[in-house]
Amino acid sequence: MLKQIISYMYKSHDFSVKGIAKALDISEEIVAQYKEKLELSGYIKKEGCSTTKCEKCGCGCSSKSLNPIVKWEFTDKGLALAKRE
């Protein structure tokens, strides 16, 4: 199942638990557990927002406020696995 999930995320660029669950016809709880395993195993990682990123941000805001959105991305290890599928 882990390979199916990582393959889906790679092909669709969809890291959302809801989207993966719907596409693979499995429960969101199971997807969340597998996604956590993928993160702990070093296949995917979160890139959160931090004030250091405001220096390069082009949004034009006058105050620094952190974006609550979490961006997921593949690690090199994750990309290698996804490309084999």
Side-chain angles (χ1 to χ4, degrees):
M1 184 57 66
L2 284 173
K3 288 181 181 180
Q4 289 175 309
I5 291 172
I6 206 163
S7 178
Y8 171 79
M9 290 188 302
Y10 179 72
K11 291 175 183 173
S12 68
H13 304 287
D14 180 7
F15 285 77
S16 73
V17 169
K18 191 173 196 166
I20 297 166
K22 185 175 180 180
L24 300 179
D25 195 29
I26 54 178
S27 75
E28 290 181 25
E29 293 82 16
I30 291 174
V31 172
Q33 289 173 5
Y34 279 120
K35 193 171 168 184
E36 185 178 341
K37 285 181 184 180
L38 288 169
E39 183 181 16
L40 292 172
S41 299
Y43 290 100
I44 60 174
K45 64 181 179 179
K46 292 185 219 184
E47 184 182 318
C49 192
S50 70
T51 54
T52 59
K53 293 183 181 182
C54 287
E55 297 166 2
K56 298 177 184 173
C57 179
C59 72
C61 63
S62 60
S63 65
K64 294 181 180 182
S65 62
L66 300 181
N67 187 340
I69 296 172
V70 175
K71 179 184 170 199
W72 287 93
E73 58 186 34
F74 287 103
T75 62
D76 291 338
K77 181 179 176 180
L79 278 175
L81 177 62
K83 289 179 179 180
R84 282 190 294 204
E85 296 303 310

